[in-house]
Amino acid sequence: MISKPAIVFPATFAAALVVGCLVTPGHALAASTIYEAEQATVSRGTVDSNHAGFTGTGFVNTANEVGVYVEFAISAVTSTSVNIGFRYANGTTVNRPGSISLNGKAVATLPFPGRGNWDDWEIASVPVTLAPGANLVRITGTNANGLANLDSLTVSDGQTGETNWADAMVDSTMRRFTPSSVGGWSYPVGLYMMGQYEVAQRTTDPIRRAALIGYIRSWADRFVDSSGHINNGFTNLDSMMPGQVMIAMYRETGQAKYRLAAKQIHDRLVPGGGYPITSDGGFWHATNLARQLWADGTFMADPFMAQYGRYVGDSTQSFDIATKQLVVYASHLQQPNGLMKHAYDESKAASWANPSTGLASEYWCRAVGWFGVAAIQVLDLIPPDHPRRAQLVSIVQNLVRGFATYQDPASGRWFQVVDKSGRGDNWTETSCSAMYAYTINAAVRHGYVPATYQPNADSGKRGELDRISLHSDGLTYLSNISIGTGVGSYPYYVSRPQATNDFHGLGAFLLFYEEVSR
């Protein structure tokens, strides 16, 4: 048998719902009670105290066998929906899955992933409905490794309140996907993870926060080895964006492997790293898209570099790169109406490029949104006296002016091709509408633009919330999201499929909701 540690939390405290939990209209903050594992019924295990950080008098260390279990007795006055969170540690490098049952009925199987450190405590949780009176919650080992070390079980019960759609979305997504099934190393999934990280940073309940972070970390650990290496050539800007997750996990854990993983991407983008640039220093969108600058690329690389400078190191160079990229891209893409053309080809050789200007023909809404979010985030990260701050604020001011000009007054949203609202085949798109409302709201909040733009942000918020709904399965659905899109013509953009729960939209929604709910 192998044992491990835990962290100290008060026995009861105000808490939000934990991982896997469902937030529905009428569920908000909750009161939580902790049940220590050493007071539970243990089959084939011992109560140990040889690892630091546990609560109570120890933790349960089961035998390395199939069928070992720990059973908690809890009670409820009435039938009530709660979330049960297991505080555990798994110092091996493999999962130690546990089957969860309530009153003899199977509820779920949780993976309890290995962390390689018995002092690294995590939370894993599921929603259940307790019966009036006595209830038995049992966790049973399903393979020959037995269970992870168990420190406690937390029960959080809901109370009525207003729906928090960010909480509802992350809980629904974590019910739909495990960290291993949610998707691979890609910017849409990386974007979602950073949205969930925003939710976690706002969350004050330590149990729930740990569960949200644990999910993100389990996803990140799929791609970085113990030496901090990511097996990726980083030949396009899209592949850089999930590096933000590595920085976030370094901030949370202090573990060197996440810092080294971020450094691998950082070192690819600094001078001498080999990533190609245009004659005026703009990153190519990809190594096989010679001399092309896509507005999308600003979000993929620039906030990462600014976060690296803020939270990891090399701040002077990292801030310089992040701000320079935004200025170079805007010098080519931003037009007198304030919007950004989707892309620019310095060679003017691309099929979509205007032979005189090198510009794409259209303003694709999400590409423009990426730029707005990137600019706001970089401004949040660089020092107040940075020499390019005034340039970036001016770019944002012009962008917000363009957003206000082309906002659909009926829905509050923005169109797939932003400036062509009058065409019958054009449609309002969800992910860009989230980004535009985010950018306007943040620009007003920071004083970059006058408060006269706040109604545009408020209208955008209403329009965006019209696109999210709670279905009979208890899960959220976000509709009318453009799938991944290259550079093309008007017919190409408006004919792009409209997906529900596409990660481009989920991640953008989380950033938007956290901003407009401040």
Side-chain angles (χ1 to χ4, degrees), residues 115-146:
R115 295 301 189 195
N117 181 355
W118 288 110
D119 293 330
D120 191 350
W121 293 86
E122 303 269 355
I123 302 290
S125 61
V126 292
V128 298
T129 300
L130 298 179
N135 292 263
L136 294 178
V137 174
R138 177 179 292 192
I139 175 171
T140 304
T142 63
N143 68 22
N145 294 319

Side-chain angles (χ1 to χ4, degrees), residues 339-351:
L339 301 179
M340 306 279 171
K341 291 289 189 179
H342 187 172
Y344 163 76
D345 179 10
E346 184 180 43
S347 68
K348 303 179 177 63
S351 59

Side-chain angles (χ1 to χ4, degrees), residues 381-397:
L381 292 161
I382 62 175
D385 60 350
H386 192 277
R388 290 198 182 98
R389 176 172 287 277
Q391 285 176 283
L392 296 185
V393 169
S394 178
I395 291 167
V396 168
Q397 289 170 341

Side-chain angles (χ1 to χ4, degrees), residues 44 58 67 125 131 141 164 185 202 223 241 253 257 263 297 305 316 341 355 374 382 399 470 508 516:
R44 288 172 284 165
S125 61
N164 182 302
W185 182 274
R202 179 256 303 161
F223 310 105
M241 187 271 144
T253 69
K257 71 173 185 177
K263 187 176 186 297
M305 289 302 288
T316 299
K341 291 289 189 179
I382 62 175
L399 199 56
L470 192 72
V516 301

Side-chain angles (χ1 to χ4, degrees), residues 416-477:
Q416 171 80 333
V417 179
V418 187
D419 65 329
K420 294 182 169 59
S421 60
R423 299 197 183 183
D425 54 352
N426 207 354
W427 47 281
T428 58
E429 199 277 334
T430 300
S431 67
C432 78
S433 296
M435 295 176 186
Y436 291 15
Y438 166 99
T439 301
I440 298 171
N441 199 86
V444 172
R445 180 169 57 85
H446 287 300
Y448 304 148
V449 299
T452 51
Y453 285 107
Q454 188 62 50
N456 298 98
D458 295 341
S459 179
K461 176 182 178 179
R462 289 191 295 272
E464 184 70 10
L465 293 180
D466 284 343
R467 287 280 169 84
I468 191 168
S469 57
L470 192 72
H471 287 211
S472 58
D473 60 1
L475 301 176
T476 58
Y477 289 77

